Structures are given as structure tokens and as C-alpha cells.
């Protein structure tokens, strides 16, 4: 089963469609007049479809069990065809398109089973995904033209007594997003941090290190007075995401803000903390550049 622990939770929605084809108007009339011997076709099929959605991970081994927040089933009669529309919603880390398609197929199969005694030529037609939203495809973030400065704040690494891994992890994730980056290493000194921020030409500046509560952790208090705008929601997202994975994340003082049209971030200095902070807010945080330009959120 695919690892989805790094994903963020969002509202996911999918709509699937299935078509049941009858062979005559008499079958349609029997359905509409509730004269099918096996019972009310629409109600029985709906109940089966609800169970089908819930049982999807029990039958398809690669599907993650997830909380189903909403399931809606609609029918449309078009000539001799019954068009089934199945909509499923969840607030989770992965989508529900398979659940919607499985539910629609179970509705169609239930109809087939109920109608075959009165219509020997009934058949199931197309089963397809009509739409989905809430995943990466719903939030298309452009990274063209972005250049990032990754600045590692560490006395140990700047003195050559340690190896940088957090900065490399950040650059690797930026590369996957198509963002060009460069890295520098400085000691945990407020003067050095200020100098780097004021001299950079990059539009995305990511500091890593110095966000804890140690005596040499000065990155947040150095950066905060220099910011034009603080992005408190971004900071909350990093801490919330981290806290769900590591209880010590509550000690992080990660920073996010805007200065002179540049997006400024300060992430933990641990490799895992930096990587998880990146997973928590990227690529969605890059939407800030669109807003800076005065464009709408949608």
C-alpha cells in the first residue's frame, strides 16, 4: 500500500457515472411504477451503492481505508438508459475516485440483478470517472521563474564540524517542484542572518536552523522584525503537521512572512523537521507569489 503519511489533509470529492441499458419501455415503466418483482429498484440500488462505497478498501487491496463524509446517488432516465451519478466526499490525505467508481458499479450491478427477471437483455454500459477535485490537480501552482536561497544557520556546520543534511533535503524537494535553488551556510549570528536576508536576490528565501529554544537559536527573533507581513497560517500549518508526527514539534518557532515581495521561511534545523515542514506547506505556499502580484485566490 502506498505511503501517504507525508500528504496533507484536504477536502476530496469525486463523481463517477455508470449506465444501465434496458431493452424496452416496459422495463422503464416497471421501475417508475415500482412494479419490479424484486422491489423498489432505485432504493435497493442506492442502499447497495452506499455499502459498496464503504466496502471499497475491503475488496481492492491497494485502497486506503478512509472516512467517508458524504455519498450522494442520483438517477436520470434518458430513453431506455438509466444514468447513475455517484458523488463521494472526504476530508483526508487521498482521493475518493475509486470509491465513487466502485459505488456506481455496485448500483449498476444491483439494478441488473433486479431487472434481469423482467428484461433478459438488460446490460451495464460505461462506468467512468466524471470529475475529481481536492488533490494536486486542483491546486496548480506555477514555479517558473522562482529562485530560492537556502540558508543553513548552524555554528557546527559553518565551523566545518558537521555535515549539512537539512539544507540538502530542502533543495531536493525544491528541485522536485521545479524551483532552482542555491545554498549557503552561516553561523547562528543575528548579524549574519540579517545580512543574508538583505543581500539576497532570490524571491524565495528559506532559512533552516536556529528555530528551537536553545541559547543560540536566534533565527526567529532576528527575522520577525524585518518582515513586512507575517503569514501566521503558514506557521500554524507547519507546527500542526509536525505535531501530528513528532510531539517535540511544539517547540519549533518556524517563521513565514513577506519582505519586499519575497517569501521568507525559517524551518527547523533537523533533517526530518525541515523535510516535514516542506511537505506541510509546499507546493501550496507558492500561491503567495500570485497573491503578492494582486491576483485572486481562485
Amino acid at each position: 500500500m502506498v505511503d501517504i503519511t507525508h500528504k496533507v489533509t484536504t477536502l476530496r470529492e469525486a463523481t463517477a457515472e455508470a449506465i444501465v441499458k434496458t431493452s424496452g419501455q416496459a422495463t422503464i415503466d416497471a421501475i417508475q411504477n415500482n412494479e419490479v418483482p424484486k422491489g423498489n429498484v432505485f432504493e435497493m440500488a442506492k442502499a447497495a451503492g452506499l455499502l459498496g462505497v464503504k466496502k471499497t478498501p475491503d475488496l481492492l487491496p491497494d485502497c486506503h481505508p478512509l472516512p467517508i463524509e458524504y455519498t450522494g446517488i442520483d438517477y436520470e432516465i434518458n430513453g431506455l438508459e438509466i444514468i447513475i451519478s455517484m458523488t463521494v466526499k472526504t476530508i483526508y490525505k487521498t482521493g475518493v475516485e475509486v470509491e465513487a467508481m466502485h459505488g456506481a458499479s455496485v448500483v449498476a450491478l444491483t439494478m441488473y440483478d433486479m431487472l434481469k427477471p423482467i428484461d433478459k437483455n438488460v446490460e451495464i454500459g460505461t462506468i467512468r470517472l466524471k470529475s475529481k477535485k481536492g488533490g494536486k490537480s486542483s491546486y496548480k501552482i506555477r514555479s517558473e521563474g522562482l529562485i530560492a536561497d537556502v540558508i543553513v544557520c548552524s555554528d557546527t556546520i559553518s565551523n566545518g564540524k558537521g555535515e549539512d543534511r537539512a539544507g540538502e533535503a530542502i533543495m531536493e524537494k525544491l528541485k522536485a517542484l521545479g524551483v532552482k535553488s542555491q545554498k549557503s551556510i552561516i553561523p547562528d549570528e543575528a548579524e549574519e542572518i540579517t545580512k543574508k536576508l538583505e543581500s539576497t536576490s532570490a524571491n524565495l528565501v528559506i532559512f533552516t536552523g536556529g528555530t528551537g529554544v536553545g541559547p543560540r537559536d536566534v533565527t526567529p527573533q532576528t527575522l520577525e522584525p524585518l518582515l513586512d507581513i507575517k503569514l501566521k497560517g503558514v506557521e500554524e500549518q507547519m507546527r500542526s503537521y509536525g505535531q501530528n508526527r513528532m510531539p517535540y514539534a511544539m517547540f519549533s518557532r518556524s517563521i513565514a512572512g513577506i519582505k519586499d515581495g519575497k517569501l521568507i521561511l525559517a524551518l527547523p534545523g533537523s533533517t526530518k523537521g525541515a523535510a516535514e515542514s516542506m511537505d506541510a506547506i509546499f507546493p501550496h505556499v507558492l500561491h503567495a507569489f500570485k497573491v503578492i502580484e494582486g491576483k485572486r485566490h481562485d
Side-chain angles (χ1 to χ4, degrees):
M1 191 177 287
V2 176
D3 185 1
I4 60 170
T5 56
H6 64 285
K7 291 189 174 184
V8 294
T9 298
T10 59
L11 172 62
R12 314 282 185 135
E13 179 179 338
T15 299
E17 180 182 271
I19 298 176
V20 174
K21 300 177 180 179
T22 66
S23 63
Q25 185 60 40
T27 304
I28 297 297
D29 291 342
I31 294 170
Q32 291 180 318
N33 296 327
N34 197 17
E35 295 175 348
V36 176
K38 286 193 172 185
N40 188 301
V41 174
F42 287 153
E43 292 302 319
M44 287 287 286
K46 180 178 181 180
L50 295 175
L51 287 173
V53 169
K54 296 175 183 178
K55 292 292 184 179
T56 300
D58 293 342
L59 300 173
L60 300 176
D62 252 356
C63 282
H64 295 80
L66 48 77
I68 302 297
E69 313 282 357
Y70 169 81
T71 300
I73 303 171
D74 294 310
Y75 303 113
E76 177 188 348
I77 296 176
N78 182 18
L80 300 181
E81 294 183 346
I82 303 168
I83 301 171
I84 303 156
S85 180
M86 168 77 73
T87 298
V88 181
K89 297 181 183 180
T90 187
I91 300 176
Y92 200 58
K93 302 171 188 174
T94 190
V96 286
E97 55 266 35
V98 175
E99 284 76 8
M101 293 181 70
H102 184 235
S105 67
V106 171
V107 172
L109 191 57
T110 302
M111 286 189 173
Y112 175 89
D113 178 63
M114 296 185 72
L115 295 176
K116 65 180 180 180
I118 64 171
D119 188 342
K120 300 302 180 184
N121 295 313
V122 65
E123 63 180 54
I124 297 173
T126 303
I127 298 174
R128 68 186 183 96
L129 179 68
K130 285 184 66 179
S131 64
K132 68 171 186 173
K133 60 183 179 180
K136 288 182 180 179
S137 59
S138 298
Y139 303 99
K140 295 180 180 178
I141 308 294
R142 302 187 61 141
S143 60
E144 294 88 348
L146 292 181
I147 299 175
D149 253 352
V150 178
I151 303 164
V152 179
C153 303
S154 170
D155 291 333
T156 303
I157 298 172
S158 64
N159 289 330
K161 296 179 181 179
E163 181 183 352
D164 168 54
R165 291 188 178 89
E168 291 298 316
I170 292 170
M171 292 179 72
E172 185 178 337
K173 290 185 177 292
L174 290 173
K175 183 179 179 181
L177 295 169
V179 178
K180 296 179 181 179
S181 63
Q182 57 192 15
K183 185 182 77 171
S184 57
I185 300 172
I186 62 174
D188 289 304
E189 297 287 352
E191 184 179 347
E192 293 289 334
I193 294 170
T194 302
K195 189 186 301 182
K196 273 293 182 183
L197 181 60
E198 293 180 343
S199 64
T200 183
S201 59
N203 39 22
L204 172 59
V205 186
I206 305 178
F207 292 85
T208 174
T211 62
V213 294
R216 295 286 292 164
D217 291 330
V218 298
T219 305
Q221 57 264 45
T222 302
L223 291 176
E224 278 187 317
L226 304 176
L227 298 176
D228 300 325
I229 300 172
K230 279 199 70 178
L231 301 177
K232 293 184 179 180
V234 177
E235 297 172 358
E236 291 165 4
Q237 171 63 10
M238 286 190 282
R239 276 187 281 278
S240 174
Y241 184 96
Q243 189 65 29
N244 286 332
R245 290 156 178 81
M246 159 59 77
Y248 298 154
M250 61 185 172
F251 293 109
S252 174
R253 296 185 295 140
S254 297
I255 293 292
I258 305 294
K259 176 178 172 56
D260 299 330
K262 301 172 182 176
L263 177 60
I264 314 300
L265 302 171
L267 312 185
S270 70
T271 306
K272 190 173 182 181
E276 289 183 347
S277 294
M278 292 289 290
D279 288 336
I281 62 175
F282 280 85
H284 308 104
V285 74
L286 298 180
H287 179 67
F289 292 105
K290 183 177 178 181
V291 181
I292 289 171
E293 294 172 0
K295 297 178 181 177
R296 291 168 55 89
H297 281 291
D298 55 3

